[in-house]
Amino acid sequence: MKVETCHFGELVLYCLVLWCSTASCSGIGLEFPPTARSSALGEALVANPKSPAEALYFNPAALANIEGKSLSAFYEDGLLDTYYSNISYGQRIKDKGLGASLGILNGGKAIIYEFEGTEKSINSQNDTYLSLGLGKMIYHNLNIGASFKIIKSTLAEKHKASTYAFDIGILYQNLSEKCSLGASIRNIGEWLEYEKDKNSLPFTVQIGGGLDLMLVFNLPLELMYSVSKTRKNNMSLSLGAEYYPFSSLALRLGYKNNYENQGLSLGFGIIYNKINLDYAYVPIKDLDSSHRLSMGIRF
């Protein structure tokens, strides 16, 4: 009788792929907010994106508000040795706003132990996300927008998958009262398939609003909220507050309700000429906290 043995390294690789599937690692980079500002404000920006990165992530209709050209870069030092980085560009062309974004997720290193006693270090997960979007005002202060995404993923340096997705959004802004309302549907698309195992993308429906209190109470404070529904959880609420004690400094506070392991967040932004630097601190229950940095340039 012929007996075939399973190589231990191959078994661990297979288990890693299976774990990622059950843990909803599929397209997880699509859930990473693209700026430190959005993290500090509890991700309540479906009606208040202020950069091409935020518009492409939360609501592509906000691309219609882009003036001139802008570039933003983001870095997150995640749990353990994971990290996520993003670079985004936006430009106004006539009556339309265009945006492009590239996101990279590195899941850190994993050690594979062989039967022979040797060990091998591999990259547990590497994902790339490319987004292209367009926004346009169609009636007075009413904008619509859409974006297209290409997702490529590699698990354990061996198992690869790729797919695409769409986002659509709508945004209304009452400029006289600085009130805004927005809604978006994100990650409408196909599955990511590893080893014939199909994994759904993080489909999300989000609605929300924002209010600038400067004209109402002469207070340099913006309030925002959003309600989200995903495949993974029930309805969740996000709240954010952005206060400007000086024109060059923004203090931010956010809160996420009914989100796993996340609640309060905070941060600040420094604005100098056409450059802004943002920082966010996001405590994660029972795990390491996350520090997030981003920088934007308008030109």
Side-chain angles (χ1 to χ4, degrees), residues 14 31 35 37 42 47 57 72 77 89 93 112 114 124 133 155 163 168 204 207 210 215 258 282 289:
Y14 176 78
E31 299 182 80
T35 64
R37 174 179 179 263
Y57 183 89
S72 63
D77 180 16
Y89 175 78
I93 299 179
I112 301 299
E114 309 285 358
S124 60
L155 297 180
T163 189
I168 57 174
T204 303
I207 62 173
L215 293 181
N258 203 26
V282 183
S289 299

Side-chain angles (χ1 to χ4, degrees), residues 57-132:
Y57 183 89
F58 292 101
N59 190 344
L63 289 170
N65 296 336
I66 291 177
E67 297 180 358
K69 303 174 183 178
S70 61
L71 180 69
S72 63
F74 169 78
Y75 178 81
E76 175 180 353
D77 180 16
L79 302 178
L80 301 176
D81 58 345
T82 65
Y83 70 82
Y84 177 78
S85 58
N86 176 283
I87 185 168
S88 300
Y89 175 78
Q91 179 175 346
R92 187 168 190 84
I93 299 179
K94 295 182 179 180
D95 61 340
K96 302 178 184 66
L98 305 179
S101 176
L102 176 65
I104 297 175
L105 171 69
N106 187 302
K109 296 291 185 179
I111 303 299
I112 301 299
Y113 295 93
E114 309 285 358
F115 271 131
E116 298 83 359
T118 61
E119 61 182 52
K120 178 182 178 182
S121 176
I122 64 169
N123 292 318
S124 60
Q125 182 174 358
N126 282 286
D127 292 355
T128 302
Y129 306 89
L130 176 63
S131 301
L132 300 172

